[in-house]
Amino acid sequence: MTPLYSSSEKAPARRSLTLCLWLAVVLALAAFAACICLCAGVNVLNENRIRLLATLVFSFAGWIILLGADLYWFPALAEYRHAERILKKEPVCLSGVVERLSAPFHVRGSIDMREVILKTDNGNRRLLISKKRSRDFPVPGIAVSLMTAEGFITAFEVRHE
Amino acid sequence: MSKTKRILSLMTRMVLWALLSALIWNFVVNLLTDAPPRDKVTLYVSTGDTALRDRELSYALEQGMPSSVRMVRCHPFSYLMIGEDIGRGDLLIMPEKEAAGYLDRLSPLPEELRSFGPLFTQDGEIYGVRVWDSAGMTGCAASYIDYSSAGGDWYLFCGRDSLHIPSASDSADSAACAVAKELFGLE
């Protein structure tokens, strides 16, 4: 079976998150220090220019941090916490035919995911799969064997029947 | 959340952050570039905004200010808020013809400033010293003040409630006189 989650991913992911956090802190402190240095040289002639420069420097630093947080850090953190939770659970085996694979959707505070409808002997089962890990997932109509934990697909294998 | 909503949410936060940055640094710069009356000497000039290079004049006068004050600020009369008393200004420059209307808000001119030129006298009291001679077109700080905005001679006066002249009851120092002497040295 193709495992979708691995314990070996945790450490690099955690390092990456910590590094980004520190980068953001350093950037914020550097921007603050730069603005303080700008203000140290303020006088009646340059006060408007200093005011504008300090605002621009602080704004740009904040925007970089906001963009980094929104586009990378929070999604990466959500992925990390999701993987950590999944890896703690005991997986359950399922078999069936992929009935439907939905378009990706986002749950606030969680990861991007896709819904999988699996037709089994006991009826249809609704499962979820991480969008990031669904690249090679079989298309509808293919028979598969799955491992699931907390309703998420953690491994899959195409059954050749 | 759809992509559009996420972008809108992010843009809103970025705009709010820019506004917050502007507020913070505006506050900080204002804190650094202003001071209470006890720590600064204020010069008011009876001109329109465009006839006075206020920032350049403030900067030039600060070069010779005593250590007892943090800064010198120059403003046109229009800078005063409605109801604000012009007598609180430390130094005032205005045309001779306007001075009579402000006498009750002026202090007698300190002794140390009386030797710099012809004096403005009213009811036996000396109130001002000339800074601009309209006949000879000469005077001090002419590159900062457009004296032609009003005809006649211009005089320097001291505000009645100034904290920086020796004669005032709650005077902090005589910094206004030091700044005035610096003013007489400007071209």
Side-chain angles (χ1 to χ4, degrees):
Chain A
M1 270 204 205
T2 310
L4 299 178
Y5 296 85
S6 164
S7 302
S8 61
E9 291 174 0
K10 277 175 60 177
R14 193 177 189 147
R15 269 200 301 273
S16 174
L17 284 168
T18 308
L19 179 66
C20 285
L21 189 62
W22 277 111
L23 278 174
V25 167
V26 165
L27 180 61
L29 288 174
F32 189 73
C35 292
I36 294 293
C37 287
L38 275 173
C39 288
V42 74
N43 59 46
V44 67
L45 287 179
N46 65 17
E47 68 171 284
N48 284 338
R49 194 165 58 244
I50 297 291
R51 199 179 267 125
L52 178 67
L53 269 174
T55 302
L56 284 174
V57 166
F58 211 58
S59 296
F60 277 127
W63 289 347
I64 290 168
I65 292 171
L66 276 172
L67 281 169
D70 212 66
L71 298 177
Y72 173 74
W73 201 82
F74 282 117
L77 182 66
E79 277 286 348
Y80 175 80
R81 284 180 174 161
H82 164 78
E84 202 177 33
R85 200 170 61 245
I86 293 294
L87 285 166
K88 281 181 183 164
K89 298 292 179 188
E90 202 57 47
V92 170
C93 198
L94 278 176
S95 291
V97 174
V98 178
E99 183 88 354
R100 192 170 84 88
L101 181 62
S102 78
F105 60 93
H106 179 79
V107 172
R108 200 183 178 126
S110 185
I111 61 171
D112 291 343
M113 56 191 84
R114 303 172 79 170
E115 189 184 53
V116 176
I117 306 289
L118 186 74
K119 189 178 172 185
T120 69
D121 295 335
N122 298 323
N124 284 359
R125 289 287 300 269
R126 298 172 78 138
L127 300 165
L128 296 168
I129 185 170
S130 159
K131 176 196 161 191
K132 197 177 112 178
R133 301 163 207 270
S134 69
R135 206 164 291 133
D136 297 325
F137 194 77
V139 296
I142 303 292
V144 292
S145 292
L146 304 173
M147 300 296 278
T148 68
E150 282 212 346
F152 274 88
I153 297 169
T154 62
F156 68 87
E157 185 181 50
V158 173
R159 284 190 297 139
H160 301 284
E161 292 174 340
Chain B
M1 196 191 285
S2 73
K3 209 167 188 176
T4 315
K5 274 189 186 170
R6 279 182 82 174
I7 291 170
L8 276 174
S9 165
L10 184 61
M11 284 181 68
T12 305
R13 277 177 279 159
M14 288 169 78
V15 167
L16 285 173
W17 176 252
L19 287 173
L20 184 66
S21 297
L23 268 170
I24 290 169
W25 295 106
N26 197 47
F27 175 76
V28 171
V29 171
N30 280 349
L31 215 61
L32 293 171
T33 57
D34 201 5
R38 196 157 278 272
D39 296 331
K40 70 179 174 186
V41 170
T42 311
L43 164 66
Y44 289 107
V45 183
S46 179
T47 64
D49 295 350
T50 54
L52 172 66
R53 292 171 60 204
D54 50 354
R55 292 180 186 276
E56 288 82 0
L57 183 55
S58 300
Y59 186 76
L61 291 174
E62 275 178 356
Q63 308 313 304
M65 73 180 174
S67 55
S68 56
V69 292
R70 272 180 55 200
M71 56 186 66
V72 177
R73 287 293 176 264
C74 303
H75 304 291
F77 273 25
S78 58
Y79 184 83
L80 287 159
M81 303 287 193
I82 294 169
E84 209 168 320
D85 184 14
I86 201 160
R88 295 192 64 82
D90 300 297
L91 298 168
L92 306 158
I93 294 178
M94 65 183 100
E96 184 180 8
K97 58 192 178 193
E98 283 182 28
Y102 290 104
L103 278 181
D104 58 331
R105 276 163 279 184
L106 302 177
S107 169
L109 193 72
E111 287 286 340
E112 55 193 292
L113 297 180
R114 295 182 183 186
S115 59
F116 285 96
L119 302 172
F120 179 95
T121 311
Q122 193 84 8
D123 301 327
E125 187 66 76
I126 298 170
Y127 287 99
V129 57
R130 194 172 72 188
V131 292
W132 176 254
D133 174 16
S134 58
M137 297 287 279
T138 57
C140 63
S143 55
Y144 301 96
I145 304 170
D146 182 10
Y147 294 108
S148 64
S149 58
D153 295 344
W154 290 60
Y155 286 80
L156 173 77
F157 303 90
C158 293
R160 179 195 63 206
D161 299 323
S162 168
L163 299 174
H164 300 289
I165 53 173
S167 53
S169 55
D170 55 348
S171 169
D173 48 52
S174 58
C177 297
V179 171
K181 287 174 188 172
E182 188 70 23
L183 179 75
F184 285 117
L186 294 177
E187 291 188 351

